[in-house]
Structure formats: structure tokens, C-alpha cells
Amino acid sequence: MKPEGSIIASGIAPHGAITSGRPTPLGATWDGGGVNFAVFSQHATRMTLCLFSPDGRWETEWIDLPERDGHVWHGYVPGLMPGQAYGFRAHGPYRPDEGHRFNPHKLLLDPYARRISGRLEWDDALFGYDRSSRHGDLTFDTRDSSNFMPRGVVVDPSFDWGEDRAPDRPLTETVIYEAHVRGLTMGRRDLALRGTFAALASEPMLDHLLKLGVTAIELLPIHAFVDDKFLLDKGLRNYWGYMTLGFFAPEPRYMTTGQLADVQAMVKRFHAAGIEVLLDVVYNHTAEGNQMGPTLSFRGLDNASYYRLAESPRYYINDTGTGNTLNMDHPYVMRMVLDSLRYWVEQVRVDGFRFDLATTLGRTARGFDRNHPFLQAIRQDPVLSRVKLIAEPWDVGPGGYQLGAFPAPFLEWNDKFRDQVRRFWRNEEGMVRKLAMRLSGSALKFDHDGRAATSSVNFVTAHDGFTLMDVVSYAHKHNEANGEDNRDGHGDNHSDNLGVEGPTEDRAILARRARRRRNMMATLMLAQGTPMILAGDELGNSQSGNNNAYCQDNEIGWVDWDNADADFLAFCREVVALRARHPILRQKRFLHSRSRSIDGHVDLFWRRADGMPMTEVDWNNGGQKLIAVEMRVAAGTPDHITRAFREDAVFCVFNAGEESLVFLPEHTLDRGWVLRLDTATPGEPPVRVHRALKVAADSVVVLALEPVPLSPKS
């Protein structure tokens, strides 16, 4: 609300005379004596700072920023303290046909706001145009939006980090756990402050993750975001959070005190447990939508700079499918993203990022460029180049699928792994060759330009799609609760209900489902690359067949702890621990069936059940349902490192067919094959196996060639 009789004018504030201040850093910076405000706008003609009363309700002062350096407007207000609420009003041309949408009647959130108070309340006043007019966005709306807008808040980012040290886990040891702050904790009745950062980093949650063997937790977006009006109208919410409003501010709904310290304390606790924190970040678009969307921040500050506009600049390029695309070709937009990333690393101490629709971040007017200035800037940045960087290598624009195209040190989500592992265990024809490629780190995609075998982020499930339980329980998606008549979400999930759609009490079906879940989890952990587990999969969590729970902030989207599958949880712990114990399964170098200098053995050998090598006929046999692989330390690994490995080789069998007698590779008197895992009989102690082993139908077995004396198994 505006104060009675206010005008947008005065260069004097009650706190003292405003001075020119500094153009850097951008945002609101408290220095102990006052606050420096700096905001970018290339095309504005005037920039007004709006200050609010302590409760955030009333605009108490409107102050024109007195200086402009280049395209940065700035001023210093003495006497202001952390906790001060503020916003901006930008003046300039309102000419949508030329890409300009300035409207000083609209309160604008600072893109660099470190904290946001209040929640967006949908009202027609939020829009820069008159929504009731048949001329649409070409009209100009004079209603004031401040009553309905959240405010930026000045913060003091200082925090007592004590002895905090980043775990800095090498990728060869990394196991990622993709989770939602609220969704992972709301279903745990033993937690206080459920749904918050505090609950996520509580002792019960840390204990669960440590016992599972997780080394990094990847959080769905925690940047402040907006609940879409169309969802609120249906009684739903933007649960996942992929509609960012501010790239520096944490989402208030996950906080307890409302202070940045909420997030910092969470990170500190994870670090103390040896777990890294990765953030899923959405720099490809904002919550303002297309030309018919609201004016909340970027659009009102400088629409023509912040967004990629079409040939007719009234409209937006929409490579993201959300209505707009950030213009990463503009230096100040790129700077904002880089500043945001560095802020989260330096002030919050997160350990890395997963970039949503990362192809968009590397787009120019000519399409995707792996040498885009933004990607190069990250790679050379002394802060950002040392954290984990994960790309989702696609968007919905032309040429958007770029799996394998990102430069080192980026890792990439590998959807080929997801789809082909599901299809192999669904017993489809011709999947043996494809599974072999995924088990060896998808080298055809990633082994170039010095990239490591850890570049492929392997996953069978993620937040977007079926849970692991639903992959084996539903043949079709069931998204009716989303209110779109089941039209949303992917239709081809490579899933199988194994006899009955949805829940059942049929013990035979339940046993088959459990076996298939074990097979897919084992495949994930036995493949070269960096594995990622979806939170709740280890508990047997179901979303009742909903494969697009983006709007389900309820029991559908939350992890079900009450009905946790204890047996499957035990298996998951076992197979994650198996990967940790056997470094041959998680190497940095690719395996290419090359001879090793240390002993002449090849580092990768594919076998049939009879022990003979796979031939081209076998690879092309669509009916082939079993494949065995012998892996050793990669050729090129220094000999002293090779000798330090606990096992000489690991032998894995993946059998999607009938029971089969599988002959083992040769061994020596002082080295023998030890059965370490069998998904048909999980939890059994290790035993020595000699020449051959019966491998059950639909199962995975793992043996290690070790100098361990054990009683033989016939």
C-alpha cells in the first residue's frame, strides 16, 4: 500500500540524505551503517526505490535512485538495517511491440533479493495490461500492485559456520539422493517442523540417509517460487517449485525463522554428517510466463534485456515450454545467474547444482552451443568450477536434446539409462546391447573431450515420472488428481503392472514386483557412472500411478513412511554398500575392453551363459535375455592404484530370461569367485563359487574375484 499523498519524487529519506552509493554489488547490501541499492535496467528512464513499514504493509518512502553507471541504477540510504522490506518501480516506455513493458504502477521484486516476505496474491493488478480489454497486453493498466506483491528484505548473511568443512566427495564415491524438502519430511510423524529445512536436516533423517549410503542430497528447487493461479483455482499448488520468482532468496514455505540461517544451518548439519547438498536450479525461465503473464520483477525492470524475444518482440521465445526463456546472451542476465550461483556456494556453502533444462542455458540465436559464454564462464570460475555441476541436457526448443554434448566438468542426467534399464527388465526384445552400453558408462555419449566415466548420472526414476514402485505396479499413468483429465505427464513410461493395475494382495504378483525393483536398483548400482536414487524408492513409496505430481503437495506427492517396505530398504542398503566396497564398479576411467599393462587382462569382457565371449550374432539376437560382464580396473590406471584394489575382478550377470547355468571366468588357486549379491535371495552371506552358478530367472548376481578363503558352494 502507498502512504497517503505520496509521490514518486523525493531524493531525501527520513533516514538521511540518499547518496550515490555504488553500482556493485547488485541488490541490497547492508554495510553496518546503511544499505546500498543497485539494480540493472538498460532501457528504464528512471528507477524508484520503495521502502516499507516494519510489518511490510505500507510503502513509507519512494526514493528515486540518484545515480546510473552504465545500466546500473544505484543509491545508498543511511540508517537502514537488515529486515527492511523494499521493492522497485521502473519507469520507461510501455511499447510491447518493441519489447518494452515498463509500468511504474507495478511494484517489482529485486532480482537480487536475498529474502522474500509475504506471498503473491493473484489479482488483475499484477498485470501490466488491462485483462478485461479485448486489446489484451497492448493496453496499459494503472492499478497499483503493491498490495498483492511480496517484498524483498535486506539481510545480514553472516553465520557462525564453526568448523564446517565441505565433504568434497569424489564422483567415484558419490551416490545422489533426489529429494523434495517438504515431500520427504511431511510423512514422518516423528519429526518436528515437518516440511522445513530444519526437519530435513534432523537426526532421524540424517540417520536414514547415512544408513542408506547416500553421499549427496539433491534438493528440488528451493529458490523462491510462485503458485500458478490455475493450480490454486483447482485447490492445488506448485509443489515441485519450477516457477522461480527470485534466484537468491530461499522459498519461505520451507523456513522456520524466515532467515537465511535456516538454510545455512541445514547445510552445516549435512556437512557434519559427510553429506553434500546439491540444488536443483531453474535459470532457464521465470514465473512471469508469456506476454499475457504478470509483471512481477524482470518483465517490469527490463523486459527486452531479461528475456529472449521473438522476431516480433511483443512475443517470447519459448524453448522451455513455460512461456518465456531467460536471455543468457545478455551480459547482465548472465551475470545475475553467475552471481546467484556464487552466492549459494559462498554464503550458503552448497556443494553443487543440477541445472533444469540446461540446453536453454547454452542457447544462442543459432541454437545450442556447448561453448556458449555462460558454460565457459562457469568452467573458468574459481568458485563454481570446483563444485559439482549436473546438466539436464534437453529442453523443448529446436535441437533441444543434447545428451552427451556438455563440456567437462558437467555431469548429465542420462534418460537413456532410465528407459533402457526399464525396457530390459520388462523383457523387451533386443535390449542386451543397449543395457551393455549403459552398464559401461554410456561411453559412446560421454567418452570424449577428456570427460570421465562418472559424467553419466544414471537413474531409473526421478521426480518427473513414476516412482520405482509405480514402474512395477502400473502399465498406464493415472494423473486424474491433477485436474487435466489425465492428459498431462508422459504416456510412454516403459512400465509394467506385472498382472494387476495398481495395488494388489496377490502374493505372486507382489513377489515379482519386489524382484523387479531389486533388479533395477541393483542395475543402477552396478553401472559405471554416478548413480541417483529418487527419495522414497528405497521405502517402496507409491504415488498411486501419478507420473506428474508437480502440483500434489499432499499424500500423493509426499513420501509414505508409514508403509515403508523394510525388506526392500534393507536390500537397498546392501547394494549401495556393495558398490562402495567394490571400486571396480565406480571408476573414473572408461572400460573399453583394452588390455592392461599390469597383467594383460582386458578391463571389460562380455560373456554368454556358457562362458564364451559374446559374438555379433549374440548381440543382434533379439531373443537374448542374459548378459554377463567381467570388469577389472581400467586399462591406463597406474599399476600402484590397480594393486590397491581389494578385488581383481567383478563378474555380474543380468538375466531377464529363464533360469540358467552360468559358467564363471577362470580363477587361480589363491583367487576365487565370491558370490556377493543375488537378487533372487537377497541378504544371504557371501559364499565361494567354483566353475558355474545357477542364476535364477529375472535376477542379478554379482561375484568378486578375491583372495578370501571361504567354504565352497557346489
Side-chain angles (χ1 to χ4, degrees), residues 652-674:
C652 306
V653 182
F654 302 85
N655 182 21
E658 300 300 319
E659 180 183 85
S660 181
L661 183 65
V662 175
F663 287 84
L664 306 183
E666 293 181 357
H667 58 89
T668 62
L669 292 177
D670 61 340
R671 296 288 191 276
W673 289 107
V674 180

Side-chain angles (χ1 to χ4, degrees), residues 69-386:
D69 278 87
H71 301 308
V72 177
W73 301 78
H74 56 93
Y76 180 85
V77 182
L80 294 187
M81 298 290 290
Q84 173 67 56
Y86 73 101
F88 294 111
R89 294 178 187 271
H91 307 254
Y94 186 84
R95 293 194 288 269
D97 282 339
E98 298 177 14
H100 301 306
R101 296 177 180 269
F102 293 98
N103 187 334
H105 302 281
K106 309 305 170 184
L107 182 72
L108 306 174
L109 186 71
D110 178 7
Y112 278 71
R114 267 64 170 180
R115 177 183 164 198
I116 292 177
S117 69
R119 187 162 296 282
L120 185 79
E121 297 181 27
W122 285 102
D123 187 90
D124 284 353
L126 293 170
F127 295 79
Y129 63 94
D130 183 355
R131 298 187 79 204
S132 65
S133 171
R134 64 186 179 88
H135 298 292
D137 64 305
L138 296 178
T139 61
F140 185 77
D141 186 84
T142 59
R143 285 171 290 186
D144 190 271
S145 68
S146 64
N147 288 352
F148 311 101
M149 274 291 296
R151 289 80 163 93
V153 180
V154 178
V155 304
D156 176 3
S158 61
F159 180 76
D160 181 8
W161 286 99
E163 299 298 318
D164 175 76
R165 293 186 64 183
D168 197 22
R169 294 268 193 168
L171 286 169
T172 53
E173 297 177 6
T174 296
V175 176
I176 299 172
Y177 187 82
E178 191 200 26
H180 189 284
V181 173
R182 187 167 164 84
L184 183 58
T185 60
M186 283 299 293
R188 281 206 66 151
R189 303 178 191 276
D190 59 334
L191 298 183
L193 305 172
R194 291 182 295 167
T196 67
F197 296 121
L200 187 66
S202 64
E203 285 300 324
M205 287 306 312
L206 293 175
D207 181 66
H208 174 76
L209 297 176
L210 289 172
K211 288 180 178 177
L212 181 58
V214 166
T215 69
I217 186 166
E218 180 179 302
L219 300 179
L220 267 68
I222 67 167
H223 288 171
F225 59 86
V226 168
D227 286 314
D228 305 80
K229 187 178 186 301
F230 81 93
L231 292 177
L232 296 176
D233 289 345
K234 294 189 291 187
L236 301 171
R237 298 178 73 181
N238 181 5
Y239 171 55
W240 285 349
Y242 289 92
M243 277 294 177
T244 306
L245 180 61
F247 296 115
F248 292 78
E251 170 53 39
R253 73 188 71 183
Y254 303 146
M255 307 176 83
T256 50
T257 70
Q259 304 296 323
L260 180 64
D262 287 350
V263 193
Q264 293 167 316
M266 175 194 71
V267 173
K268 183 178 179 180
R269 294 203 64 176
F270 273 113
H271 283 182
I275 298 174
E276 295 180 313
V277 178
L278 314 178
L279 300 185
D280 191 337
V281 286
V282 190
Y283 295 114
N284 55 79
H285 72 280
T286 78
E288 291 183 308
N290 63 15
Q291 69 276 4
M292 307 308 292
T295 296
L296 309 176
S297 178
F298 314 93
R299 174 174 285 133
L301 285 168
D302 194 344
N303 183 69
S305 294
Y306 275 107
Y307 293 114
R308 292 180 61 216
L309 303 181
E311 184 175 351
S312 171
R314 175 184 174 185
Y315 304 102
Y316 295 78
I317 291 174
N318 186 22
D319 291 327
T320 64
T322 62
N324 66 58
T325 304
L326 272 183
N327 181 17
M328 295 299 292
D329 282 342
H330 195 287
Y332 271 92
V333 179
M334 185 195 302
R335 174 180 170 181
M336 176 188 69
V337 174
L338 292 169
D339 284 349
S340 170
L341 292 167
R342 280 189 291 264
Y343 176 76
W344 287 95
V345 174
E346 294 180 317
Q347 296 295 334
V348 189
R349 300 198 180 183
V350 301
D351 305 284
F353 305 93
R354 178 264 190 189
F355 294 89
D356 180 65
L357 301 183
T359 297
T360 299
L361 306 179
R363 279 191 179 275
T364 68
R366 298 176 300 278
F368 176 77
D369 181 359
R370 70 191 306 269
N371 292 314
H372 188 283
F374 172 68
L375 300 179
Q376 291 192 5
I378 287 183
R379 297 169 68 194
Q380 63 79 41
D381 189 282
V383 173
L384 301 179
S385 61
R386 62 180 173 82

Side-chain angles (χ1 to χ4, degrees), residues 430-675:
M431 294 308 301
V432 163
R433 182 189 292 272
K434 296 182 185 300
L435 181 68
M437 289 190 288
R438 304 310 151 215
L439 292 172
S440 54
S442 300
L444 289 177
K445 286 289 185 182
F446 294 105
D447 190 9
H448 61 85
D449 198 27
R451 302 185 75 180
T454 50
S455 299
S456 174
V457 175
N458 300 329
F459 63 102
V460 179
T461 55
H463 70 274
D464 187 2
F466 277 148
T467 67
L468 186 59
M469 177 62 86
D470 289 352
V471 170
V472 301
S473 303
Y474 294 91
H476 309 284
K477 61 186 174 72
H478 296 269
N479 298 353
E480 291 79 7
N482 295 355
E484 299 180 43
D485 297 322
N486 205 33
R487 293 189 302 270
D488 62 304
H490 297 295
D492 190 4
N493 297 283
H494 309 297
S495 60
D496 185 1
N497 63 28
L498 293 170
V500 176
E501 189 77 353
T504 181
E505 295 183 2
D506 186 307
R507 292 186 177 182
I509 292 176
L510 292 175
R512 291 180 63 201
R513 289 178 176 177
R515 175 85 67 92
R516 185 162 295 182
R517 283 189 290 141
R518 293 196 295 270
N519 290 340
M520 287 192 283
M521 185 63 73
T523 306
L524 175 63
M525 289 299 151
L526 298 173
Q528 301 294 324
T530 303
M532 183 183 79
I533 301 170
L534 173 64
D537 275 354
E538 75 279 14
L539 305 171
N541 182 61
S542 171
Q543 292 178 172
S544 301
N546 191 319
N547 75 347
N548 190 31
Y550 77 104
C551 55
Q552 299 296 336
D553 189 3
N554 51 46
E555 286 79 3
I556 293 176
W558 301 341
V559 171
D560 180 4
W561 291 87
D562 290 342
N563 298 296
D565 184 337
D567 291 337
F568 189 64
L569 175 59
F571 174 81
C572 290
R573 291 171 174 171
E574 178 186 0
V575 73
V576 174
L578 175 75
R579 180 182 180 86
R581 287 195 307 269
H582 297 280
I584 284 177
L585 299 172
R586 44 183 180 84
Q587 300 186 60
K588 180 179 179 180
R589 290 173 171 81
F590 285 94
L591 305 176
H592 279 302
S593 299
R594 294 170 296 196
S595 295
R596 307 185 314 168
S597 60
I598 192 170
D599 55 15
H601 286 295
V602 295
D603 55 17
L604 184 71
F605 200 99
W606 302 101
R607 297 182 186 275
R608 304 183 311 207
D610 61 6
M612 299 301 294
M614 290 281 288
T615 67
E616 195 61 28
V617 172
D618 298 319
W619 288 117
N620 293 325
N621 179 4
Q624 182 85 12
K625 298 299 174 67
L626 181 149
I627 188 169
V629 58
E630 179 183 353
M631 292 180 280
R632 295 176 182 266
V633 179
T637 302
D639 290 352
H640 72 280
I641 296 179
T642 300
R643 293 189 186 96
F645 278 56
R646 286 187 292 270
E647 68 284 321
D648 288 355
V650 173
F651 185 69
C652 306
V653 182
F654 302 85
N655 182 21
E658 300 300 319
E659 180 183 85
S660 181
L661 183 65
V662 175
F663 287 84
L664 306 183
E666 293 181 357
H667 58 89
T668 62
L669 292 177
D670 61 340
R671 296 288 191 276
W673 289 107
V674 180
L675 181 63

